[in-house]
Amino acid sequence: MRNRQQTDTLPTALYRAEQVRELDRIAIQDFNIPGRTLMERAGEAAFELLNRVRPGVKDITVVCGVGNNGGDGYVVAQLALESGMACRVLQLGDPSKISGDALTCAEAYAEAGGEVRAFDQIQESTELVVDGVFGTGLEREVEGSWRDALAAINAHPAPVVALDIPSGLHSDTGQVLGIAVDAVATASFIGLKQGLFTGHGPDCCGSIVFDDLDVPSEIYKGITPSVRRIDWARERTRLKPRKRSAHKGDFGHLLVVGGDHGYAGAVRMAAEAAARSGAGLVSVATRNAHAAAISVARPELMCRGVETADALAPLLAQATAVAIGPGLGQGDWGQQLLGRVLESTLPIVLDADALNLLAVDPEQSNNWILTPHPGEAGRMLGIASAQVQEDRFDAAQQIQQKFGGTVLLKGTGTLIVTGNQTLLCTDGNPGMASGGMGDVLTGVIGALLAQGFSQVDATTMGACLHGAAADRVALVGERGMLATDLIPQLRKLVNPEVDR
């Protein structure tokens, strides 16, 4: 049995399309594996997947393009034919353009008596559709009859299994090129494509199954993955049981700065999340009007009314890390407090209005963690949030180059960029699309910084912990999830020795 892996056990290495093509080339040319052999193995893996998606399926339609993705589709069709299923291939594009191994597989299917016709409509009797239209090389928007065909696939009630990548999805960015197939499952081969896991990738792919097509492990040695996938199952191993002799001073003192008039909730959520994530002490610097109310609601937080930047000095002197931004506002008060925090040498997490202020008056530092959502990222780069989402990898990398430090770009497939690596967190769910989630994340990362974790480790652990807590909450439903619902789960998750 070859290496076929479900979403929760996928490899951590992610690649750009050009890198996967190079892996293909190495396997074929350097290790003498015939291209047709790889194509047949891909088809076998996809055929196995479709039988898991729809056990007992009797009638399938395979939609093929003219490239190698279509060749994989012809292999699936022949296997379906041989197993006794009713099967037909709907061919998109000029069949005279099919060449190489794809042509060989298409001819083998035809010789076996397989039905092939130009794409017209998908039969009502079809119980499952296989998408073999476009592979990883698609770079332009889908138009004309190709667009109509993808729309017809999506309109049919049968589930769709995509070969390698859903057609219409950009393999490097995860963006939809006009239209993309909505698959319930995707069989990905040789190397996982980075676009499957961010942007619209998760919407289009459904569950992802990986098959290495039995290529030698040596083919991967010369190509460094463009991105590494991270999750809480791995990140949690950094947390070790505490010594019996431990005291609060061993686990750092986080100062959370924010909460302008009307925004006490934001700074409180950040501070409470920090306390539940293991910080030894948490102080809050906020408006005088908010300090007493926060102390009453959560007496473990040491709240100070701070109306001037000078009043921050003694609090900064006691802290081991700072989180600033939740509810900070962009007025004079927020500007002054941010200026004073940035004068310190403490490790800092910046979020929300701290990022909006930084966008107006940019500077660079390697002593901070920046945690923008796409809107804030757009302001930091002087572009629209929609442009950020068109290529999240590029946007996060641009922010890091412009501002320094470690950058966490929120959204589906949260990205973390340092000076020399890009990481992608796969924890989290759509229930997190509600107010206050970013404030909780700021507190989580700040707490880990205060406990002595490095900038990068605090960011990766924080992103995954935050997402994993939301996944726990989502067990009772995504709709109606509140940011504060995550806080009890944080405590459970940061105690892996008792969280079973």
Side-chain angles (χ1 to χ4, degrees):
M1 179 67 70
R2 294 200 302 277
N3 182 18
R4 294 170 185 169
Q5 296 172 281
Q6 302 287 344
T7 305
D8 58 352
T9 57
L10 293 174
T12 60
L14 307 181
Y15 299 93
R16 294 187 302 275
E18 63 179 358
Q19 292 179 300
V20 177
R21 286 193 287 272
E22 178 63 8
L23 290 172
D24 256 337
R25 186 202 64 77
I26 293 170
I28 293 168
Q29 295 184 10
D30 297 356
F31 288 87
N32 300 313
I33 302 174
R36 182 177 179 181
T37 298
L38 295 178
M39 194 167 285
E40 289 172 344
R41 291 173 182 174
E44 291 167 4
F47 185 68
E48 181 181 309
L49 175 60
L50 72 84
N51 278 286
R52 291 207 301 271
V53 167
R54 193 73 180 262
V57 61
K58 298 298 184 184
D59 188 308
I60 74 168
T61 296
V62 184
V63 186
C64 292
V66 297
N68 284 343
N69 203 242
D72 295 343
Y74 274 104
V75 175
V76 173
Q78 184 169 354
L79 290 169
L81 197 67
E82 292 170 352
S83 72
M85 293 181 188
C87 174
R88 69 211 54 84
V89 169
L90 299 183
Q91 179 65 57
L92 271 167
D94 183 352
S96 68
K97 293 183 178 179
I98 303 174
S99 62
D101 298 315
L103 178 60
T104 302
C105 292
E107 290 173 341
Y109 170 71
E111 289 170 4
E115 176 188 356
V116 183
R117 66 172 187 264
F119 188 96
D120 46 15
Q121 62 181 4
I122 303 171
Q123 290 184 196
E124 290 185 13
S125 63
T126 289
E127 299 173 288
L128 184 140
V129 178
V130 177
D131 164 29
V133 181
F134 297 122
T136 59
L138 186 66
E139 293 290 340
R140 63 181 183 277
E141 190 163 305
V142 180
E143 299 175 335
S145 60
W146 301 90
R147 184 185 183 95
D148 294 341
L150 299 194
I153 291 172
N154 287 341
H156 197 280
V160 180
V161 170
L163 305 181
D164 211 22
I165 186 169
S167 293
L169 183 71
H170 195 280
S171 58
D172 288 352
T173 66
Q175 290 311 292
V176 171
L177 297 173
I179 187 173
V181 166
D182 292 326
V184 299
T186 299
S188 187
F189 312 123
I190 299 287
L192 289 170
K193 293 79 189 167
Q194 62 184 41
L196 302 181
F197 298 91
T198 195
H200 294 289
D203 289 331
C204 297
C205 292
S207 62
I208 298 171
V209 172
F210 173 70
D211 195 304
D212 65 7
L213 306 187
D214 221 13
V215 297
S217 60
E218 288 80 6
I219 77 164
Y220 299 98
K221 292 182 178 178
I223 298 181
T224 301
S226 55
V227 179
R228 286 283 181 186
R229 189 177 63 84
I230 57 173
D231 57 32
W232 183 240
R234 294 176 177 84
E235 293 297 310
R236 67 185 292 177
T237 60
R238 301 181 193 276
L239 294 173
K240 307 301 180 185
R242 292 181 168 181
K243 294 180 179 180
R244 297 298 90 194
S245 59
H247 58 84
K248 63 188 177 184
D250 293 334
F251 306 115
H253 186 163
L254 179 68
L255 172 63
V256 184
V257 182
D260 200 356
H261 295 302
Y263 297 100
V267 74
R268 180 196 160 179
M269 284 189 287
E272 190 166 343
R276 289 300 192 189
S277 298
L281 294 165
V282 181
S283 291
V284 177
T286 188
R287 287 286 193 176
N288 282 330
H290 298 151
I294 294 174
S295 292
V296 169
R298 177 53 68 195
E300 297 88 349
L301 303 177
M302 298 179 289
C303 297
R304 301 288 188 274
V306 172
E307 296 297 329
T308 66
D310 287 343
L312 267 183
L315 301 180
L316 289 167
Q318 296 172 349
T320 52
V322 183
I324 183 168
L328 184 67
Q330 299 181 56
D332 289 343
W333 182 76
Q335 292 179 43
Q336 291 176 21
L337 297 191
L338 178 61
R340 182 56 58 90
V341 167
L342 295 184
E343 289 173 1
S344 78
T345 58
L346 294 170
I348 308 169
V349 186
L350 283 81
D351 185 35
D353 282 325
L355 297 173
N356 291 325
L357 290 170
L358 188 62
V360 174
D361 188 14
E363 57 181 281
Q364 191 171 77
S365 171
N366 287 320
N367 197 41
W368 56 30
I369 298 168
L370 310 177
T371 62
H373 59 52
E376 292 155 351
R379 288 187 281 277
M380 296 173 79
L381 294 174
I383 60 176
S385 60
Q387 289 178 270
V388 171
Q389 293 294 79
E390 287 174 3
D391 191 338
R392 288 168 50 79
F393 295 100
D394 182 63
Q397 288 159 4
Q398 284 192 50
I399 293 172
Q400 200 282 326
Q401 291 167 8
K402 181 176 180 179
F403 294 93
T406 299
V407 174
L408 181 152
L409 178 59
K410 299 169 187 171
T412 306
T414 292
L415 300 179
I416 298 160
V417 177
T418 66
N420 58 8
Q421 64 178 333
T422 300
L423 304 164
L424 188 153
C425 172
T426 50
D427 293 305
N429 63 79
M432 300 171 77
S434 64
M437 287 290 173
D439 303 319
V440 170
L441 176 62
T442 299
V444 171
I445 295 175
L448 294 167
L449 266 185
Q451 290 172 76
F453 288 99
S454 71
Q455 190 179 100
V456 175
D457 287 349
T459 309
T460 57
M461 292 172 67
C464 296
L465 171 58
H466 184 245
D471 288 340
R472 288 282 186 93
V473 176
L475 293 175
V476 295
E478 294 174 352
R479 289 185 177 89
M481 185 185 298
L482 301 180
T484 51
D485 293 339
L486 274 62
I487 293 176
Q489 300 300 328
L490 295 173
R491 186 184 178 196
K492 296 176 183 177
L493 290 166
V494 295
N495 290 287
E497 68 275 14
V498 296
D499 180 46
R500 296 286 184 258

